[in-house]
Amino acid sequence: MTERAKSATSPSMSPTAPPPASPEPTGQGSSPGTSGVDPHGAIRTLRHDVTDRPFIVIWEVTRACALACAHCRADAMVHRDPRELTTAEGLALLDDLAALGAPRPIVVLTGGDPFERPDLVQLVDHGTSIGLPVALAPSVTPRLTPQILSELRQAGASTVSLSIDGASAATHDAFRGFDGVYAETLAAAAAVRDAGLRLQINTTVTKGTARELPAILETVIDQRAALWSVFFLVPTGRGENLQPLDALEVEDVLVWLGAVADRVPVKATEAPQFRRVVIERARAGGADPADYDPGPLGRDLRAATPPPRQPQPKSSAPSAGSPEGARRGVPEAHPPAAPASAAPAGRIRPPLDVNAGRGFAFIDHTGEVYPSGFLPLSAGSIREAPFTEIYRSSPLLKSLRDPAQLKGRCGRCDFAEVCGGSRSHAYAVTGDALAEDPSCAYQPPASGEAPLDQG
């Protein structure tokens, strides 16, 4: 095992889902570039060249939102911005993405609150009609109704992501800025399932909420979520006012997520080092890495985690292989490993090898293209050039795809090819998108630095 040195040093995206005609990442074995560090095939790799096309595109269709969430990347506003992409521009963007041909990228419509756009159903219908898997990441407001969910389902959407950021109404409602949102979210989750849509739950982790994760996990299972996307706060937008975990605490949460990933499919957002943790667990035969010494947070998470449940019947949500179910997506970049179920999935969903600008891209409400919604460096505007041209030729995106340009520990890391570090965390803390990731505790074996004591 390599030596881990722990030293310290995001508003949230949305869910995504599996495409019918879209790329199905490999689930067994590694690509030639990853086989050295991942001989057990613990990481899924894409079958297409990520320098040519992304696997997933997040489009912020609006910044308008009725909520005032404490972590919001977009610093959302009450009214729609007149500079938003028009319906015609949005349809042209979807046409550009579809013109890539198979495998077409997953498209996630997020915000703000995408339900603030009156043309949302039209955008979804057009996208799915030309072969794009389309997913949605709405806010829980009065606009999220069974009727609109039914219309979106009929238009071809298949996955909706909702956020649960606390184990109780007190925590979640404080996070979202309004009383009653927690109860409304649980009701919305039921409405999503009733509409025949697949449900993804997103959870933002901060110092103040991390110890609620075991209880949130139980809620995620109760809600029969197909995927749990755990987002590691990046101090951007309103998130600058919250306290992110330090690197030791991030490691504790990631190792804990690896330990419970057989209960519900898990995705770690803005923590690509989760792929390292999964590889280390595979090397250890499914146990914690031999050199992992949990800190106070890690011990508390283990102590608060109940035993696994017994398997329950599968959900009646459409299957990933069906024509309707193939267009899933909201913020996750890959197909769920198992159908939505109220009980332990039993099988771990391998994380996918994508990162900011490398298989992943974000388009804001005015058409600016970014490597990630949490990395505020523009690669260009689709009002000046097609997205596909920007994605392939942007010097910024090219640099982020090249592990040789990474600096510090990330540049020396033996997992650089499958991780690459959170470029958003690096930029938020250092102002350099290629700097080492300050939210990662790992010390590459050749660094010569001794690991810190967890305490």
Side-chain angles (χ1 to χ4, degrees):
M1 300 294 295
T2 53
E3 201 177 6
R4 178 178 301 119
K6 319 257 177 175
S7 69
T9 5
S10 308
S12 87
M13 292 230 116
S14 317
T16 81
S22 264
E24 178 99 5
T26 56
Q28 300 294 328
S30 304
S31 69
T34 64
S35 58
V37 296
D38 185 22
H40 301 284
I43 304 303
R44 288 178 298 157
T45 54
L46 296 177
R47 294 173 178 166
H48 67 272
D49 183 359
V50 294
T51 67
D52 177 66
R53 67 188 66 203
F55 179 73
I56 181 170
V57 175
I58 311 294
W59 174 20
E60 176 193 68
V61 296
T62 184
R63 281 204 176 169
C65 183
L67 300 182
C69 302
H71 69 304
C72 185
R73 162 201 56 77
D75 200 9
M77 56 190 72
V78 175
H79 303 290
R80 293 176 59 196
D81 188 334
R83 300 173 300 158
E84 276 178 13
L85 294 180
T86 65
T87 300
E89 289 173 318
L91 296 176
L93 167 62
L94 296 173
D95 288 338
D96 181 38
L97 295 173
L100 287 167
R104 294 179 177 88
I106 296 168
V107 178
V108 179
L109 305 183
T110 185
D113 179 11
F115 283 24
E116 292 280 345
R117 277 195 71 130
D119 59 355
L120 182 63
V121 174
Q122 180 184 359
L123 293 172
V124 172
D125 182 70
H126 182 73
T128 59
S129 72
I130 56 179
L132 293 169
V134 179
L136 298 155
S139 300
V140 176
T141 73
R143 291 184 181 274
L144 200 166
T145 65
Q147 178 180 347
I148 187 64
L149 290 172
S150 176
E151 291 177 12
L152 289 165
R153 180 71 185 88
Q154 292 175 24
S158 58
T159 302
V160 170
S161 67
L162 301 175
S163 295
I164 296 180
D165 297 306
S168 67
T171 306
H172 180 83
D173 291 356
F175 209 80
R176 293 283 150 181
F178 290 92
D179 292 338
V181 178
Y182 182 78
E184 291 168 1
T185 300
L186 299 184
V192 167
R193 297 192 305 269
D194 290 346
L197 292 156
R198 179 161 289 201
L199 174 67
Q200 175 176 312
I201 298 295
N202 300 332
T203 299
T204 299
V205 185
T206 68
K207 277 187 182 291
T209 62
R211 284 173 170 78
E212 298 188 22
L213 287 173
I216 296 174
L217 168 64
E218 294 300 294
T219 301
V220 171
I221 295 172
D222 288 341
Q223 295 303 315
R224 291 176 290 170
L227 180 71
W228 186 24
S229 179
V230 180
F231 172 72
F232 290 78
L233 180 75
V234 177
T236 60
R238 294 190 192 125
E240 290 181 334
N241 299 318
L242 297 176
Q243 192 171 12
L245 302 179
D246 62 36
L248 298 173
E249 293 167 328
V250 169
E251 190 80 359
D252 278 337
V253 172
L254 292 177
V255 174
W256 177 80
L257 288 174
V260 301
D262 58 346
R263 306 186 188 197
V264 65
V266 172
K267 174 181 181 286
T269 300
E270 288 300 343
Q273 63 266 42
F274 184 53
R275 297 194 280 273
R276 166 184 52 84
V277 170
V278 169
I279 291 172
E280 290 178 325
R281 288 186 66 84
R283 290 176 179 175
D288 289 346
D291 62 346
Y292 171 65
D293 179 21
L297 176 57
R299 293 191 290 270
D300 289 348
L301 292 174
R302 299 301 175 95
T305 304
R309 306 182 188 184
Q310 294 301 311
Q312 301 292 323
K314 293 178 181 178
S315 161
S316 60
S319 67
S322 68
E324 298 83 6
R327 296 174 177 138
R328 321 195 175 267
V330 194
E332 149 321 272
H334 6 340
S341 136
R347 151 185 177 202
I348 294 176
R349 169 190 172 282
L352 184 65
D353 182 18
V354 297
N355 207 342
R358 182 169 62 83
F360 186 101
F362 179 88
I363 303 169
D364 82 356
H365 65 299
T366 66
E368 291 293 317
V369 177
Y370 297 90
S372 159
F374 312 101
L375 180 51
L377 294 175
S378 176
S381 171
I382 67 166
R383 283 175 162 155
E384 298 174 0
F387 168 83
T388 47
E389 178 182 324
I390 294 170
Y391 181 82
R392 291 166 175 162
S393 62
S394 160
L396 169 65
L397 300 184
K398 284 183 173 181
S399 69
L400 294 174
R401 294 176 199 137
D402 182 6
Q405 296 198 42
L406 298 177
K407 302 173 185 177
R409 287 178 296 126
C410 287
R412 302 190 302 270
C413 187
D414 43 327
F415 290 95
E417 294 285 344
V418 297
C419 174
S422 169
R423 299 299 93 217
S424 301
H425 278 111
Y427 183 79
V429 173
T430 70
D432 182 354
L434 296 172
E436 69 176 47
D437 180 358
S439 71
C440 180
Y442 183 72
Q443 283 290 353
S447 69
E449 299 179 32
L452 300 180
D453 185 2
Q454 275 271 37

